[in-house]
Amino acid sequence: MAVNVEPDSLTCPLVDRAFRDAGDLAAVVIELTEHTLVEDYTPLLPVLERHRAAGASIAIDDAGAGYAGLQHLLRVRPDFLKLDASIVSGVGTDEAKAALVELVGTLASRLDTWVVAGVEQVDDALRLRALGVPLVQGNLFAPALPRWASLDPQLRRVLDELPPPERGATVRAILELAPTARRAPLPGLATTGFTVLVDDALRPTGCVAAAATAPHGVQAFRTSLDTPIAELATRLLTRPEAERFQPVVVCDGLGRYVGVVRVERVLSALSRLAVSHP
């Protein structure tokens, strides 16, 4: 469930209490809107980190339409960056917009942020796919409905017939399995290795590393099967130093856990690629 909240409203005691009372926020995405300028991040950042610790993901909504600029992106470090419709609309034929989307995507990937685009036209969807935008939504795929809608059969055929983008070696080549659990193991039972916490649909909700006292969130440690190894390596460099060498959780196209990638295997794969393509 996505909840749109103004940054200054998020620090309001009543709003903060509503999130606290909800308890587990693993199924919640807090979308920060851009309609008000954030002049002081001091009260906002601790609130965001507390909600993240409760399982919430953080998104910046309508990026490019309001006040949230590069400083906002760097300070918030969102899990998702949702591009404004004014940037996405027409990207299929507008080279300037395509260049902007590519630039934003490069920056977002370095910050371990997933770009989301709302799409209305097939040409725009195809161009976004070629640019490597990982997530889309919008009326092209389904209008806002009370229940999940199936993809239009004609659109599905168009997408299914597209060849996969040429993106080099991906994490599929270095995937490994790690144990999973529905909840954090009891202290003393997970003193070695790395356990991925999953929900009933096998979507990852957290991780427990060796000797950890509590599970940490999974969003910043997650990638897809088709992420290029070189791209993943650049994302790893932006992790906090204490977490830089934790394994990366890998998901399929439906967000289900399929395995992990150890940083050691990323480095090994990069060295082999460098030897084979000097």
Side-chain angles (χ1 to χ4, degrees):
M1 179 176 67
V3 182
N4 289 71
V5 186
E6 294 283 355
D8 55 352
S9 297
L10 196 61
T11 57
C12 170
L14 288 176
V15 176
D16 187 42
R17 188 178 307 119
F19 281 109
R20 285 173 178 264
D21 292 345
D24 184 5
L25 299 177
V28 175
V29 179
I30 299 174
E31 296 191 4
L32 298 178
T33 59
E34 289 194 333
H35 305 304
T36 57
L37 176 64
V38 180
E39 297 182 348
D40 183 8
Y41 286 88
T42 304
L44 176 63
L45 296 181
V47 174
L48 290 176
E49 289 308 311
R50 186 167 64 247
H51 295 332
R52 274 193 168 113
S57 298
I58 308 299
I60 292 179
D61 195 21
D62 296 332
Y67 290 102
L70 297 179
Q71 175 72 0
H72 195 56
L73 181 59
L74 290 173
R75 296 299 300 272
V76 173
R77 296 291 184 105
D79 303 301
F80 301 100
L81 181 68
K82 304 183 72 172
L83 297 176
D84 184 65
S86 63
I87 297 175
V88 176
S89 179
V91 72
T93 56
D94 190 321
E95 294 303 319
K97 288 186 176 182
L100 180 58
V101 170
E102 188 172 24
L103 179 64
V104 171
T106 299
L107 176 58
S109 69
R110 293 294 184 94
L111 299 177
D112 218 2
T113 296
W114 293 64
V115 175
V116 186
V119 188
E120 306 292 328
Q121 302 296 326
V122 174
D123 287 349
D124 293 342
L126 298 183
R127 189 61 182 275
L128 291 168
R129 180 179 184 273
L131 291 170
V133 174
L135 300 172
V136 292
Q137 61 184 51
N139 288 336
L140 175 64
F141 303 98
L145 296 169
R147 301 182 62 183
W148 185 269
S150 298
L151 195 62
D152 177 75
Q154 184 175 355
L155 177 60
R156 179 181 291 277
R157 283 195 296 272
V158 171
L159 298 177
D160 287 345
E161 291 172 0
L162 292 172
E166 291 293 333
R167 304 181 69 194
T170 69
V171 299
R172 290 175 183 268
I174 54 175
L175 191 68
E176 299 179 57
L177 295 179
T180 62
R182 290 292 192 272
R183 58 192 180 92
L186 295 174
L189 296 182
T191 56
T192 61
F194 185 83
T195 300
V196 180
L197 307 181
V198 297
D199 61 17
D200 291 338
L202 296 181
R203 294 185 297 262
T205 60
C207 309
V208 179
T213 57
H216 54 66
V218 72
Q219 188 64 48
F221 296 88
R222 189 172 68 188
T223 193
S224 71
L225 276 168
D226 295 316
T227 300
I229 294 173
E231 178 183 313
L232 179 60
T234 62
R235 289 172 56 187
L236 293 174
L237 294 176
T238 64
R239 281 177 164 183
E241 287 189 25
E243 304 165 352
R244 192 163 294 166
F245 290 94
Q246 293 288 1
V248 179
V249 174
V250 183
C251 300
D252 64 13
L254 297 177
R256 298 171 301 195
Y257 166 76
V258 293
V260 298
V261 170
R262 288 184 293 116
V263 176
E264 294 91 333
R265 297 202 72 181
V266 174
L267 298 177
S268 177
L270 286 178
S271 65
R272 290 196 301 271
L273 289 171
V275 171
S276 60
H277 299 86

